[in-house]
Each structure stands twice: as structure tokens, then as C-alpha cells.
Amino acid sequence: MSFSPLEIVKLLPKTNCGQCGEVSCLAFAVALAAGKKRPEDCPYLDPEKLPSLGPSPAASEIDQAYRILEEVKKKARALNLAELAPDLGLTFEKDHLLIPYLDALVELTPEKARRQDGQELDPRDQILLYNYLIFHGREPLSGEFVGLETFPNSISKVATLRRYAEEKLAQAFEKDPAFLRKRLSLFRARELPGEADWAVEIWILPRMPLRVYFWEGEPEEGLSSEAKILYDRKALVYLDLESLVFCAERLTERWLGQD
Ligand code: SF4
């Protein structure tokens, strides 16, 4: 039996209760994927759901994420967090930064990052946050929003964005728009009246707003609903292309309640 740790984590309550003998749900997921734990070790995991996950690259995906995380943490140790905080719209308190990130407030030092609400913070999220600091963007945002295809060398990323974010959001919008509207309150967000059939602006990070535009489908014409994600024209000052796509992927997962 072989499953991705990141897929397993989605099936766990992320309370980090420790009843499985691991310090966190993520640690349990890694141990389970590596065959060091059994599904029964977590009383909250429904083993029936595991077979539907199918085969996976096992622990390699998360191992790689942890390796990258250690690299970005090393770079972060050279940063003066108190000095860069104002440029990035963050607050510095005693020894850590407070980072509004998606639906959470994250406490971050060069050694660790944790959500204040105690929920697990995926290593990929942590990499994104450290990258935001390392980039240390200083130019103001433009206020002009453009598609990812506007940025250089973005062809392959545009396809990823479409598959893992825009298509999923479009399907959710077609199936249950009220669900999306309701869960919008999780985020620092506002609706943009009069734009597309529905449009919202959501702040992933203090200098990283995304705009999501929705258009209703026309079933009688065989047309499905559409969604399009736009970034501030200066977004690459604050994060690299891959991180921009990850922002949209994570927003989608959190918005749809799929992580
Ligand atoms: S995996 Fe299950 S038992 Fe382990 S910490 Fe998470 S909820 Fe608790």
C-alpha cells in the first residue's frame, strides 16, 4: 500500500493531538507513507478512504519539500526580519514575524513557521512564506491585474494554473456558487461588483492579491463555466513564477475545503 503523504494529510483532522505517537498529523502522514505506521494508529483516519487515493510517489514528494524547506530556512537566517517587515506588510513582534497568509495568521522565525490556530502548516506553504521574505520585494504594486501568460517564460506554468486552480474553481462555481460565496469569508477578500458574472479579490499575502473572475456556462450551448486568475503586474517582484502558481493552487484547495 503506497500513498502520498500530502494526500494522506488531507484525510486527517490536522489537530496534532499526538494519539498516533507522532508529534503532528503531517509527521504521521510521512510515517504512514513510509510504512512505519498503520492507518489504525490514527483513530480519526477512515481507512476506507485510503484505497481511493491510488498509487503515489510515496514519501519522495514530501521529502523533497522538506529538503527545499531547509534550504530556504538557511537563506532566511541571513535576513533581518524586523527590517524587512514594513516593506512586506508584516508585523515584527519580539523574535518573530506575523504573516497574514490565506485564511491564517502565521508566526515565523528563521527556524520555524506555525499557524496561530494550531493547524498543520504544510512544508510547501512554509517554503512559499520563506520565499516571500527572501525575495523582499520593495516596489509598490501596480494595481493593474494581468494573466499569468503575461509574465516571461510562463507557458508551462499557465497549463498548471489552469489544471490545478482555474478548472477546479470553474467546476465549483458551476456546481455550487453559494458554497464559494460562503467560504470567501475565510479570506481577506472583497467582491468586485460589475466585473464578469462574479469577481473577487483575495489577498494571499499582504503584497500578493489575486483576482478571480467567473463566467457562468451555457449548458444549452454546450459551454461550461469558466474561471480566470489574475495577478498584479508587479507580482514577480514579490515571488517567482512557480510560487505564483502555488498561491493559486493553495487558494483553490483552501477555498474548496480540499486540503
Ligand atoms: S494523525 Fe491522528 S492521531 Fe496523529 S496527531 Fe493527527 S489526528 Fe492525532
Side-chain angles (χ1 to χ4, degrees):
M1 186 167 62
S2 177
F3 308 111
S4 158
L6 295 177
E7 291 299 321
I8 294 168
V9 155
K10 291 178 186 174
L11 302 174
L12 299 171
K14 302 182 200 68
T15 53
N16 304 329
C17 71
Q19 291 179 55
C20 55
E22 297 290 339
V23 294
S24 67
C25 295
L26 188 57
F28 172 77
V30 173
L32 180 58
K36 295 176 183 164
K37 286 278 173 186
R38 292 164 304 153
E40 315 82 84
D41 291 332
C42 171
Y44 308 102
L45 173 62
D46 180 358
E48 294 291 309
K49 292 193 176 162
L50 285 174
S52 66
L53 295 174
S56 81
S60 61
E61 183 188 343
I62 206 151
D63 282 350
Q64 189 191 9
Y66 274 116
R67 274 198 297 278
I68 296 170
L69 179 57
E70 286 313 309
E71 291 301 312
V72 292
K73 279 183 176 177
K74 265 188 221 161
K75 290 184 187 169
R77 283 185 201 118
L79 301 174
N80 183 325
L81 301 187
E83 269 183 26
L84 60 75
D87 291 331
L88 298 176
L90 309 177
T91 309
F92 184 76
E93 285 187 355
K94 292 182 190 162
D95 61 347
H96 62 267
L97 283 170
L98 270 184
I99 307 183
Y101 171 55
L102 282 167
D103 55 343
L105 203 51
V106 174
E107 291 180 11
L108 182 145
T109 70
E111 282 71 43
K112 65 177 182 194
R114 60 174 286 272
R115 286 174 64 117
Q116 278 195 331
D117 61 9
Q119 282 189 49
E120 192 80 41
L121 194 59
D122 188 303
R124 297 169 305 166
D125 292 306
Q126 297 182 50
I127 292 166
L128 177 77
L129 295 176
Y130 284 109
N131 273 338
Y132 183 62
L133 305 183
I134 292 162
F135 263 70
H136 191 179
R138 293 176 177 87
E139 278 185 62
L141 294 172
S142 71
E144 182 190 354
F145 285 79
V146 296
L148 194 74
E149 64 279 3
T150 309
F151 299 127
N153 307 315
S154 59
I155 292 175
S156 65
K157 303 294 178 204
V158 168
T160 306
L161 179 72
R162 177 118 201 96
R163 180 170 173 202
Y164 292 104
E166 291 171 336
E167 284 180 2
K168 290 184 176 181
L169 289 173
Q171 285 163 12
F173 181 67
E174 185 157 282
K175 189 173 158 200
D176 191 357
F179 175 79
L180 283 182
R181 286 179 197 275
K182 188 173 160 207
R183 285 185 64 87
L184 187 65
S185 63
L186 292 172
F187 307 109
R188 288 166 284 278
R190 67 182 178 115
E191 299 195 31
L192 303 169
E195 303 207 30
D197 287 327
W198 189 44
V200 295
E201 183 172 273
I202 301 176
W203 293 76
I204 310 299
L205 286 159
R207 301 284 187 263
M208 190 52 59
L210 302 194
R211 286 191 174 180
V212 190
Y213 290 82
F214 294 94
W215 293 270
E216 289 169 7
E218 292 182 28
E220 62 280 4
E221 304 284 336
L223 296 174
S224 304
S225 294
E226 284 289 334
K228 174 79 178 164
I229 293 176
L230 302 183
Y231 297 84
D232 189 278
R233 187 176 279 287
K234 293 283 184 182
L236 284 178
V237 170
Y238 290 91
L239 284 171
D240 61 293
L241 257 185
E242 192 161 346
S243 298
L244 295 189
V245 175
F246 182 69
C247 284
E249 277 183 53
R250 288 302 273 157
L251 168 64
T252 301
E253 289 173 359
R254 299 298 287 178
W255 202 350
L256 303 184
Q258 291 179 342
D259 70 337

